Amino acid sequence: MRKNILTIGSLFLSFWVSNAQQTAKLPNIILVMADDMGWGDVGFNGNRIIKTPCLDRLAAEGVRMDRFYSAGPLSSPTRASVLTGRNPFRTGVFSANEGILRPEEITLPELLKQAGYTTGHFGKWHLGTLTCKEVDANRGRPENKHLYNPPAWHGYDVAFVTESKVPTFDPMLKPQTNNGRFWDYIQDKDTFLTYGTFYWDVKGNKVSEGLAGDDNRIIMDRVLPFIDRSIAEEKPFFSVVWFHAPHLPCVAGPEHAVLYENYSLEERNYYGCITALDEQVGRLVSFLKNKHVYENTIILFCSDNGPELNTPGTAGSYMGKKRSLHEGGIRVPAFMVWPDRIKTPGVLKEPCSTSDYLPSLLNMIGVAYPAGRELDGESFWPLIIGMASAKKKELVFCSGRQGAVIQEKYKLYYLEGQYELYDIEDDPYEKHNLAEQLPDVTKRLRKVLLAQLKSYESSFFGKEYGRKSYDKVGQDWWDITQ
């Protein structure tokens, strides 16, 4: 039997058993996500250049998840999985800027709201448009009314969101001359152009105040008052904080760029915006401690996929980057802290994914998922508290013409009719294809992939809640095998 928490001991288990009946006070929940941050872009995974002291400290104090995966190698699919616990192919969120988070889906904020939480979403949305009255971001425009899909439709009380990417410093601006990817912060504000992606509140109003400077700080400036109000109202809070950093365009402010002044334009801005993100997570933790709610707050951190191509971002030694279902595209930095319940730091070795967030959190607070829907995720809480040694469900991924299945130590990778098989525990960098050596394992995992694709297709066409959103959005099913 494998031991999944390397450093867990009887102290934590005895604490859990003795306090099992003392959980009437619901924990606060904060989901923090970086955008295009590679597995190797943080100190706790070995980076020796990028300064991430707060993230490193939290990973060391809680449970570091060494085999944690984004549900897709792109932004929108992963985000859909976080909020639904389901594979994004079930609702047609096949890729970035593709499909919407269908209103018929049962979401985590909806379930938590019913349980008594106040709910807020801050930063990136990327699950539909936020306006159909003007041109905004990638898809917001009058002709795309069928893609209008704001957070208010999914259980949120408060929102401060953009449809998609923004520059990571002065998010509403861009220089007159730029490559769309990296630039040093704008010093002469008389020469700027409007970037074209806007912030919106939960009522659909465009936000125009307080949008200068570091985008990570701008987001946190909205998160902290939301938390403060929740505390004053004596309500548990659920806060989704989806930073834009380090997604392109990467821009670091002066105080963070100077930390990397001896590096290239690309490096100082990439590294700087990650350190700025780290600083705001530290600000969040300090605020929670000052308000005496940190101990009973669950914080989950991850990235939405691997690092973008042709950037300083790194997936360490893992194969592939963003858009790939090889490890470097979906294996992401991740950890969980909950000081009231996790007393002993640990390392979770079992493969888990963003689809597991919803069932795990419901498990932690004792809320049942409604019957009648396929749930692809599985709670990782029993692994953390030592009540289970392995997960029961496989992890299944789909993107473009790729597919992948992770089951115990094996990973099947599919691309355009070809299958590869890896022992991902002994060969995490996917160097030795075992498909011909282990045909039975390859056949078994291939069968899992094809069966799941049929299940996803059935959900996509409305088996569980009808065809209203399917007809409205007007998508075709995306078959990765064609």
Side-chain angles (χ1 to χ4, degrees), residues 27 64 85 142 163 171 215 327 338 348:
R64 192 180 79 231
E163 179 198 315
D215 182 62
E327 293 290 285
W338 186 9
L348 183 61

Side-chain angles (χ1 to χ4, degrees), residues 46 97 128 341 369 405 481:
N97 307 304
R341 295 292 176 263
Y369 185 75
V405 178
T481 65

Side-chain angles (χ1 to χ4, degrees), residues 157-172:
D157 300 313
V158 174
F160 172 72
V161 290
T162 64
E163 179 198 315
S164 51
K165 65 184 182 296
V166 295
T168 56
F169 191 87
D170 282 337
M172 301 293 101

Side-chain angles (χ1 to χ4, degrees), residues 423-441:
D423 182 334
I424 211 65
E425 290 183 357
D426 292 341
D427 179 26
Y429 307 132
E430 298 170 290
K431 295 182 181 296
H432 307 291
N433 181 5
L434 304 176
E436 292 186 3
Q437 293 176 242
L438 299 172
D440 291 344
V441 177

Side-chain angles (χ1 to χ4, degrees), residues 7 20 22 24 72 99 112 116 158 195 203 221 242 248 270 274 276 295 317 356 366-367 383 385 422 427 477 479:
T7 57
Q22 300 179 27
L112 294 178
V158 174
Y195 185 70
K203 296 180 179 180
D221 282 350
W242 285 351
L248 300 173
Y270 189 89
I274 290 179
E295 298 294 317
S317 298
D356 298 330
V367 172
L383 299 170
I385 63 174
Y422 301 98
D427 179 26
W477 168 249
D479 188 347

Side-chain angles (χ1 to χ4, degrees), residues 40-282:
D41 284 338
V42 290
F44 67 81
N45 281 338
N47 196 294
R48 295 295 174 262
I49 299 174
I50 306 176
K51 296 174 175 61
T52 55
C54 179
L55 297 176
D56 299 345
R57 183 171 61 254
L58 292 173
E61 293 174 353
V63 174
R64 192 180 79 231
M65 299 174 167
D66 270 7
R67 289 186 64 192
F68 191 84
Y69 296 90
S70 56
L74 289 161
S75 177
S76 301
T78 294
R79 295 166 198 276
S81 76
V82 168
L83 298 185
T84 65
R86 285 153 58 89
N87 190 290
F89 264 52
R90 289 196 184 278
T91 58
V93 187
F94 302 131
S95 184
N97 307 304
E98 176 78 20
I100 63 171
L101 176 60
R102 295 176 176 177
E104 296 90 346
E105 285 291 313
I106 298 171
T107 66
L108 186 53
E110 288 171 340
L111 293 169
L112 294 178
K113 189 177 175 72
Q114 291 174 7
Y117 283 76
T118 182
T119 58
H121 193 109
F122 306 90
K124 192 173 185 179
W125 177 237
H126 221 199
L127 292 168
T129 67
L130 302 170
T131 181
C132 53
K133 297 179 180 179
E134 60 182 291
V135 174
D136 172 48
N138 293 335
R139 297 191 290 169
R141 56 204 72 241
E143 61 267 31
N144 282 346
K145 292 181 180 179
H146 60 296
L147 301 178
Y148 181 67
N149 185 50
W153 291 3
H154 298 279
Y156 285 109
D157 300 313
V158 174
F160 172 72
V161 290
T162 64
E163 179 198 315
S164 51
K165 65 184 182 296
V166 295
T168 56
F169 191 87
D170 282 337
M172 301 293 101
L173 311 178
K174 63 182 178 181
Q176 289 185 349
T177 301
N178 68 86
N179 61 11
R181 295 167 54 81
F182 296 93
W183 58 79
D184 287 328
Y185 69 98
I186 301 171
Q187 298 189 49
D188 183 358
K189 296 295 178 69
D190 292 332
T191 64
F192 73 86
L193 301 174
T194 300
Y195 185 70
T197 301
F198 305 106
Y199 271 107
W200 305 84
D201 68 18
V202 77
K203 296 180 179 180
N205 300 310
K206 188 186 294 183
V207 179
S208 58
E209 299 296 323
L211 302 179
D214 176 50
D215 182 62
N216 302 289
R217 178 193 54 75
I218 289 167
I219 292 169
M220 194 57 64
D221 282 350
R222 271 69 179 189
V223 175
L224 300 187
F226 164 76
I227 292 175
D228 205 24
R229 287 192 300 271
S230 302
I231 294 170
E233 295 169 1
E234 298 185 338
K235 293 187 68 175
F237 56 82
F238 172 65
S239 180
V240 175
V241 184
W242 285 351
F243 292 114
H244 296 99
H247 192 294
L248 300 173
C250 270
V251 189
E255 67 270 37
H256 299 109
V258 73
L259 298 174
Y260 307 99
E261 60 184 347
N262 295 324
Y263 291 87
S264 69
L265 168 71
E266 292 81 3
E267 290 167 330
R268 64 176 173 264
N269 284 290
Y270 189 89
Y271 301 162
C273 76
I274 290 179
T275 297
L277 181 157
D278 181 85
E279 184 178 284
Q280 292 306 312
V281 174

